[in-house]
Amino acid sequence: MSGNTPARPTLLYSLYCGASALIAPFAWRKVAAKLRDYGLPEERVCERLGHASLPRPSGRLIWFHAASVGESLSVLTLIRRMGEQAPDAEFLITSGTPTSAELIAKRMPPRCRHQFPPLDTAAAVDRFLTHWRPDLGVFVESELWPQMLVRARKIGCPLVLLNARLSDKSVEGWKKRPDTAHFILDQFDLLVTQNRKTAANLQAMGAAPDRIRPGSNLKAVSSPLPVDQDTLTKVRGSIGNRPIWIASSTHEGEEETVLEAHQALLKQHPDLCLLLAPRHPERGDAAEALVTAAGLSCARRSRGMLPGPATQVYLADTLGEVGTWYALSPLVFLGGSLREIGGHNPFEPMQAGAAVITGTGHYNFAETYAELSALGAAAEIGSAGELADQVAEWLEKPDIFQAARDAAGQFISRQSDQLDQTVDALLALLPPQRRP
């Protein structure tokens, strides 16, 4: 498929290229300020202009581009598996946020490096491609940057859209511009979707049917989150034999519902502890204020505190420790779902042996949750009362809870075949020799 002549550029694409050149100085100032505020050295900040801070390795280079933390981490297991099957291959991950760069650095597979992506301008993209000369480009989820795609394809780099996911709003927007949608999607040699709905949407947007391959959500086969055994031992020792449940990745406007549910649960389970892990740790002060306003006692992880015998809420306002909390308790409510936020990755807690409770606003994982609910691996709630009832049922009926956990584990184990198939499909597009 990589030998096919792509569709011709459209007027809208040409206008986009012109507009991107005009707004580039303003976009550069904005993204550079964010990276500098994070404390990154200027060498790394300039990666957004296409200036590499690392040399290109000598082997065949597979380039993965992802948006942020979740997308970036979802490909690490895939990279590790590809590296085992192609021992001469080297890997580059680009992602736009400093948080993703920090977490990737901690979990980097062998022969892998990270850079920030170039702005989607001709100059920055060409500078990036001239240095890195990727042999295969893999764009994760919904990262459709037009110039990055078109200019990479122009230098002969096969392209894949992996774990493809597009919102209904995005799909409708592209359908209004069918020629441009067809042109952009025609840059890809292969489009591997998360679900059947996305496969149908891509075809409706103009993607060639023979290039679309329905798959599973790549996040389902990611490596389990890391667990700090020392922290786990200390927190578990401090809690003792008290029952505990987790409310993870909560957003503004959701903690109130979680805390109301916890207040109700304490009436029947007075020694119950809630571990509350906001999605954004910088909201720790706001979350603590809500706990205090609810009349509950609180200990904060960011201040080095451990939950005491009377601690009703342990506020885990830190970054990168969620895997440790999932190891602490398999009873998890996953936030981003009580409001229309789209939900968060249910595979991470399930990989740790948990069953999951979710709100109704999980549209980013709608097909996944439909299947999980049918299997009994997840429960959907719509209010504080329903959340309290579901937690109480799993606390009080261990057989039912264990069945939910078993169903979640079986779902995860069935995804491993999809990973092997994806690895084979990607390696089939990798040129046998490094391109000059």
Side-chain angles (χ1 to χ4, degrees):
M1 286 183 286
S2 59
N4 293 351
T5 301
R8 295 178 62 82
T10 64
L11 175 60
L12 183 58
Y13 172 73
S14 299
L15 292 172
Y16 170 84
C17 293
S20 67
L22 290 174
I23 67 172
F26 306 99
W28 159 245
R29 280 200 288 270
K30 183 177 180 180
V31 299
K34 286 185 177 180
L35 296 180
R36 289 172 182 140
D37 288 345
Y38 201 81
L40 291 173
E42 197 64 20
E43 181 184 43
R44 296 231 57 190
V45 175
C46 288
E47 291 169 14
R48 295 307 310 262
L49 293 177
H51 295 287
S53 63
L54 294 171
R56 189 208 188 278
S58 59
R60 293 182 295 172
L61 183 68
I62 303 173
W63 166 35
F64 284 84
H65 176 64
S68 57
V69 175
E71 293 79 6
S72 302
L73 296 182
S74 73
V75 302
L76 297 184
T77 300
L78 177 64
I79 289 174
R80 192 170 287 108
R81 191 74 61 89
M82 292 180 72
E84 293 168 357
Q85 295 198 25
D88 70 317
E90 299 281 342
F91 301 92
L92 169 69
I93 302 179
T94 54
S95 64
T97 65
T99 303
S100 66
E102 186 178 336
L103 291 177
I104 288 168
K106 294 177 181 177
R107 307 179 196 177
M108 196 90 77
R111 309 194 305 278
C112 190
R113 69 272 306 141
H114 176 273
Q115 296 277 277
F116 293 109
L119 295 173
D120 201 37
T121 65
V125 170
D126 284 348
R127 197 177 291 123
F128 173 89
L129 293 172
T130 298
H131 176 84
W132 290 105
R133 304 187 313 283
D135 295 285
L136 175 64
V138 183
F139 287 68
V140 183
E141 294 206 2
S142 54
E143 283 296 282
L144 301 179
W145 291 102
Q147 294 203 79
M148 210 181 291
L149 294 171
V150 172
R151 303 183 93 80
R153 180 67 179 265
K154 191 174 181 179
I155 66 168
C157 178
L159 297 176
V160 177
L161 181 61
L162 181 65
N163 216 34
R165 175 177 63 83
L166 296 169
S167 68
D168 291 340
K169 183 179 180 181
S170 177
V171 171
E172 291 307 311
W174 280 109
K175 284 182 178 178
K176 294 175 183 176
R177 304 162 181 87
D179 292 342
T180 301
H182 173 62
F183 169 65
I184 295 300
L185 293 175
D186 206 47
Q187 307 306 312
F188 291 106
D189 297 82
L190 179 66
L191 303 102
V192 183
T193 68
Q194 286 188 15
N195 51 52
R196 292 181 296 275
K197 179 182 177 182
T198 302
N201 280 337
L202 287 172
Q203 187 169 340
M205 288 164 56
D210 63 341
R211 302 187 189 188
I212 302 172
R213 176 181 150 182
S216 66
N217 193 313
L218 189 62
K219 293 174 182 176
V221 291
S222 300
S223 296
L225 294 174
V227 176
D228 186 321
Q229 291 296 335
D230 183 55
T231 298
L232 179 61
T233 300
K234 289 179 180 176
V235 175
R236 185 174 282 157
S238 298
I239 292 175
N241 294 324
R242 297 171 59 195
I244 182 170
W245 67 294
I246 311 289
S248 176
S249 293
T250 55
H251 289 250
E252 183 179 0
E254 294 190 313
E255 285 93 1
E256 293 90 338
T257 301
V258 170
L259 293 171
E260 184 181 341
H262 191 54
Q263 286 174 310
L265 285 161
L266 287 170
K267 295 176 182 177
Q268 298 299 322
H269 303 272
D271 59 344
L272 180 64
C273 181
L274 164 66
L275 189 145
L276 178 61
R279 180 70 172 181
H280 302 107
E282 62 270 21
R283 293 187 54 249
D285 287 346
E288 183 182 29
L290 291 172
V291 175
T292 302
L296 300 170
S297 59
C298 179
R300 282 180 69 170
R301 171 70 179 159
S302 63
R303 294 175 180 165
M305 302 170 70
L306 290 171
T311 300
Q312 294 167 314
V313 178
Y314 188 42
L315 181 55
D317 54 336
T318 51
L319 184 66
E321 293 193 302
V322 179
T324 301
W325 310 141
Y326 291 156
L328 185 67
S329 172
L331 203 169
V332 176
F333 165 76
L334 201 54
S337 60
L338 288 170
R339 297 169 55 206
E340 291 299 309
I341 294 170
H344 291 301
N345 181 357
F347 309 115
E348 290 176 343
M350 290 195 301
Q351 285 168 333
V356 175
I357 304 171
T358 178
T360 58
H362 52 53
Y363 52 82
N364 285 337
F365 298 90
E367 286 200 11
T368 298
Y369 272 116
E371 185 174 355
L372 292 174
S373 295
L375 294 170
E380 187 175 295
I381 57 90
S383 66
E386 290 179 3
L387 176 56
D389 289 344
Q390 186 60 58
V391 173
E393 178 177 297
W394 282 355
L395 286 173
E396 297 163 7
K397 299 178 180 178
D399 291 346
I400 292 176
F401 184 39
Q402 187 60 52
R405 295 178 62 192
D406 290 344
Q410 291 163 9
F411 175 88
I412 291 294
S413 66
R414 286 195 296 271
Q415 311 306 310
S416 59
D417 288 345
Q418 289 284 355
L419 179 64
D420 293 332
Q421 293 171 17
T422 299
V423 168
D424 292 343
L426 294 181
L427 291 179
L429 291 172
L430 184 65
Q433 302 294 330
R434 175 184 162 187
R435 294 185 298 106

